[in-house]
Amino acid sequence: MASSSSSGLTFKLHPLVIVNISEHYTRVKSQMNPHPLTSTVNGVENQQPAPRVYGCVIGVQRGRTVEIFNSFELLYDPSTHSLDRSFLEKKQELYKKVFPHFYILGWYSTGSDAQESDMHIHKALMDINESPLYVLLNPAINPAQKDLPVTIYESELHVIDGIPQLIFVRSSYTIETVEAERISVDHVAHLKPSDGGSAATQLAAHLTGIHSATKMLNSRIRVLHHYLVGMQKGDIPCENSLLRQVSSLLRRLPAIESEKFQDDFLMEYNDTLLITYLAMFTNCSSTMNELVDKFNTAYDRHSRRGGRTAFI
Amino acid sequence: MDIEQKQAEFIDHFVKQASAQKGTALVSVIVEATSHPSLFAFSEILAVPTFAELDGTENSEYLEVLRLFAHGTWSDYKSNSGSLPQLVPDQVLKLKQLTVLTLAETNKVLPYDQLMLELDVTNVRELEDFLINECMYAGIVRGKLDQLRRCFEIQFATGRDLRPGQLGSMIETLSNWLGTSDNLLISIQDKIKWVDNMSELDKKHRKEVEDKVEELKKSISAKKLPTVSRLKLTSEGSKRSTLNLVE
């Protein structure tokens, strides 16, 4: 399939769609009957081919901007190579009642690349939307890859070998978030450390987060500093409005300075230290208790005749 | 920020007007500019060359007024009021607002007494009204009024025009800030390394203890003699128990 850029539409994708597609795929994959790993063939173990899931994406098109808000699943009928039409229409009606502005913008699927058979489904959807979108999610986890494994394809009529054919062309997109989506994505992103490890790794992860944030602030202050020094030397013409803004920014330091803050801060700091100390105390005393019990048990075996002489 | 954006068009407008006119017409430009409700920045207007010509003439006092609005306060005006022309009430209001901004430059917490002195206001109610209506709603100042402790805590204040010497002190402040954040970064990195080291040590220690326990278990299962075992058991039992506790 060709991979040139598209007709000039700008695409905005919401994270909800990506989460939906990945959730659909994960669910289907985990519900598949666990296939016993077949015998090694040339040293390579065979696993079942990754299932493909299909569905529809809906959203709004305003002028040249296409914004994809939501998606829902569809059943794929392998015999007719098409999606379940009646179900699609039912779902479309239901969604229309709740979101009257959303239209069906296209469909989605999973896999690593767009294939020939996808064109059938694409053409089938062309009667709902004259230029549908094809959103493809690549479920293979590639730790080296930095971008999202999501591609959006449009269809264009190209003349190949004298026959006008529809082919898929890749288009670029941006991610657009609503506040609610940002919060949930943020939450999911922060879940990773607690999955992995001990207190040490969590602490290290937290500190690394703070470190990178401080580093960003540092680099920006450095830019400002450089700019002001340049202005002082005379390399850069003085721009008063920027200078005013910088001076108002500098006025905000130190961030909090009243006595009351110091009092509260020290009180909370001392409370935390006290509690850590108490916890350690409790730990030590329980360990000591266990030690005494074990000694008693050990020495009991020695003197079997009544007289329980405790060690301590 | 947004104050600057709002001001930008007015500044352009006045600069154009000022460069287009001369002499006494400039006086009216000055008066208009200084009474405009959303304009707080005058250094661009001051920089227009036609003002420099005004300096020698009889209208130089208006130039002084413009300079006062750019850098001075209400108390400056009062002490020099002999040599400066009368101000329209709009200008008085603006000068008072600018005074608040100047006070905000030095302290983050402004006591009511000082404010009342600087602004010529006698009771707290009037002061608070002035602060709320003229300063906070205009958006030039953001902060909290603490009536119990009679002070005004400022979180954000728009910048005033810079005096030539202020650039140096701003650079110094910025370099201090940079230095502090660099130190902070270094200490965070050290802490991260320390965390990693401690977890390494902990894992090693755990592994050592477990290895010892395994060894002992093997040695005990090797020697299954009943008579000797009791003594051995006790010493080994205590050894085992101490190792368990150390774990």
Side-chain angles (χ1 to χ4, degrees):
Chain A
M1 298 293 163
S3 52
S4 55
S5 64
S6 72
S7 57
L9 292 174
T10 36
F11 297 107
K12 291 186 184 168
L13 187 60
H14 279 250
L16 178 59
V17 177
I18 306 177
V19 171
N20 275 347
I21 304 178
S22 96
E23 186 259 342
H24 184 195
Y25 172 75
T26 319
R27 207 180 341 123
V28 168
K29 183 147 188 243
S30 56
Q31 281 170 356
M32 272 185 351
N33 287 329
H35 189 88
L37 291 176
T38 57
S39 56
T40 57
V41 178
N42 296 338
V44 175
E45 293 180 351
N46 276 340
Q47 291 178 345
Q48 278 193 326
R52 290 196 75 180
V53 297
Y54 299 86
C56 244
V57 292
I58 61 179
V60 182
Q61 177 160 6
R62 291 188 196 96
R64 303 300 282 170
T65 317
V66 179
E67 202 166 345
I68 307 176
F69 277 96
N70 205 343
S71 63
F72 57 86
E73 305 156 10
L74 286 176
L75 270 182
Y76 177 63
D77 194 358
S79 53
T80 61
H81 287 290
S82 66
L83 297 173
D84 189 353
R85 199 50 190 244
S86 53
F87 182 67
L88 187 147
E89 272 159 19
K90 228 185 341 176
K91 268 290 224 221
Q92 185 183 8
E93 245 185 76
L94 289 175
Y95 268 94
K96 264 289 185 197
K97 284 193 202 151
V98 184
F99 302 109
H101 299 292
F102 287 1
Y103 293 100
I104 293 197
L105 294 177
W107 61 293
Y108 71 78
S109 173
T110 55
S112 50
D113 216 348
Q115 292 165 14
E116 295 285 343
S117 50
D118 297 341
M119 197 37 97
H120 292 282
I121 311 178
H122 205 80
K123 285 188 183 146
L125 272 182
M126 276 170 94
D127 58 348
I128 306 186
N129 182 333
E130 65 284 342
S131 163
L133 301 172
Y134 175 32
V135 180
L136 182 66
L137 175 81
N138 184 358
I141 304 174
N142 185 355
Q145 186 184 21
K146 289 287 184 187
D147 303 326
L148 288 173
V150 177
T151 29
I152 299 192
Y153 291 101
E154 274 193 296
S155 58
E156 275 185 6
L157 207 55
H158 279 218
V159 176
I160 301 179
D161 305 327
I163 317 170
Q165 272 186 353
L166 275 180
I167 56 167
F168 284 125
V169 294
R170 197 178 275 181
S171 352
S172 61
Y173 59 92
T174 52
I175 300 281
E176 177 100 357
T177 39
V178 177
E179 190 66 18
E181 286 171 325
R182 187 189 65 79
I183 295 175
S184 42
V185 168
D186 204 43
H187 196 56
V188 169
H190 280 313
L191 278 181
K192 250 192 344 179
S194 70
D195 191 48
S198 59
T201 45
Q202 280 188 6
L203 181 59
H206 180 69
L207 281 178
T208 319
I210 299 184
H211 179 86
S212 34
T214 326
K215 201 160 177 193
M216 264 207 308
L217 180 65
N218 194 344
S219 64
R220 288 182 191 163
I221 303 173
R222 205 179 287 278
V223 167
L224 270 180
H225 179 80
H226 201 68
Y227 180 68
L228 281 191
V229 165
M231 217 186 251
Q232 192 181 46
K233 273 196 258 172
D235 301 333
I236 309 172
C238 275
E239 200 184 317
N240 281 304
S241 107
L242 270 173
L243 283 175
R244 280 195 290 272
Q245 289 181 25
V246 173
S247 74
S248 88
L249 174 67
L250 290 179
R251 235 58 77 45
R252 297 192 73 162
L253 299 174
I256 312 183
E257 203 186 88
S258 63
E259 276 175 35
K260 196 159 178 304
F261 168 69
Q262 288 283 12
D263 288 339
D264 287 344
F265 177 64
L266 284 175
M267 208 153 52
E268 206 171 309
Y269 185 55
N270 285 333
D271 282 345
T272 324
L273 286 178
L274 258 176
I275 293 195
T276 326
Y277 195 38
L278 261 178
M280 205 190 51
F281 249 134
T282 319
N283 231 351
C284 275
S285 60
S286 90
T287 317
M288 191 64 94
N289 193 23
E290 277 179 31
L291 172 61
V292 170
D293 285 341
K294 283 180 185 164
F295 261 54
N296 282 346
T297 330
Y299 272 80
D300 252 2
R301 265 195 243 156
H302 186 62
S303 54
R304 278 265 178 99
R305 283 171 251 176
R308 293 172 67 99
T309 56
F311 179 65
I312 292 179
Chain B
M1 309 218 288
D2 20 90
I3 310 276
E4 290 296 329
Q5 284 163 353
K6 273 190 250 165
Q7 289 189 99
E9 6 169 321
F10 298 124
I11 294 177
D12 284 336
H13 165 88
F14 280 115
V15 165
K16 273 192 218 115
Q17 264 195 333
S19 39
Q21 304 178 1
K22 280 193 206 259
T24 32
L26 277 178
V27 169
S28 58
V29 173
I30 294 179
V31 173
E32 211 186 307
T34 48
S35 16
H36 197 288
S38 345
L39 187 59
F40 295 96
F42 302 100
S43 46
E44 283 96 343
I45 306 180
L46 249 185
V48 174
T50 45
F51 281 110
E53 297 163 16
L54 263 188
D55 210 357
T57 70
E58 75 275 6
N59 290 325
S60 63
E61 27 178 50
Y62 284 95
L63 187 60
E64 275 308 305
V65 168
L66 192 59
R67 285 213 190 97
L68 180 73
F69 269 75
H71 302 134
T73 64
W74 175 244
S75 23
D76 291 343
Y77 174 69
K78 275 190 298 185
S79 45
N80 292 341
S81 60
S83 53
L84 295 170
Q86 271 291 28
L87 290 180
V88 185
D90 279 345
Q91 290 176 308
V92 171
L93 180 62
K94 179 160 298 300
L95 195 53
K96 289 190 176 172
Q97 286 172 312
L98 292 171
T99 311
V100 171
L101 283 181
T102 313
L103 286 175
E105 280 177 28
T106 40
N107 290 326
K108 281 193 78 173
V109 175
L110 295 174
Y112 278 1
D113 300 322
Q114 185 189 9
L115 277 171
M116 290 202 284
L117 195 64
E118 290 280 336
L119 296 173
D120 258 351
V121 168
T122 40
N123 65 345
V124 175
R125 182 58 202 256
E126 236 182 87
L127 175 69
E128 288 184 346
D129 280 343
F130 172 73
L131 282 175
I132 295 173
N133 290 328
E134 315 305 338
C135 302
M136 298 215 231
Y137 285 173
I140 55 176
V141 171
R142 279 204 284 269
K144 295 189 191 173
L145 290 164
D146 188 342
Q147 211 175 48
L148 181 61
R149 277 196 254 110
R150 293 171 63 88
C151 56
F152 178 40
E153 291 174 18
I154 300 180
Q155 284 153 3
F156 163 75
T158 317
R160 282 198 74 178
D161 299 310
L162 287 181
R163 261 173 239 179
Q166 279 177 305
L167 186 58
S169 58
M170 283 200 331
I171 294 185
E172 207 184 302
T173 318
L174 268 181
S175 22
N176 284 343
W177 197 0
L178 260 183
T180 318
S181 71
D182 282 333
N183 288 339
L184 186 63
L185 277 178
I186 294 175
S187 52
I188 292 181
Q189 261 170 339
D190 286 341
K191 267 273 176 304
I192 296 181
K193 266 186 234 150
W194 177 82
V195 165
D196 286 334
N197 281 344
M198 292 313 278
S199 73
E200 274 295 321
L201 280 174
D202 190 53
K203 270 189 222 148
K204 251 194 282 179
H205 182 70
R206 216 173 262 273
K207 199 168 170 312
E208 274 172 28
V209 169
E210 276 170 21
D211 286 344
K212 274 196 209 143
V213 170
E214 284 303 318
E215 261 180 61
L216 276 177
K217 279 192 196 159
K218 279 190 217 140
S219 66
I220 289 174
S221 54
K223 315 174 197 161
K224 277 278 182 187
L225 307 166
T227 45
V228 192
S229 72
R230 201 182 282 170
L231 273 170
K232 282 259 187 234
L233 262 174
T234 51
S235 64
E236 244 110 46
S238 52
K239 239 193 264 176
R240 217 183 314 154
S241 56
T242 43
L243 277 170
N244 279 340
L245 291 168
V246 165
E247 236 176 294

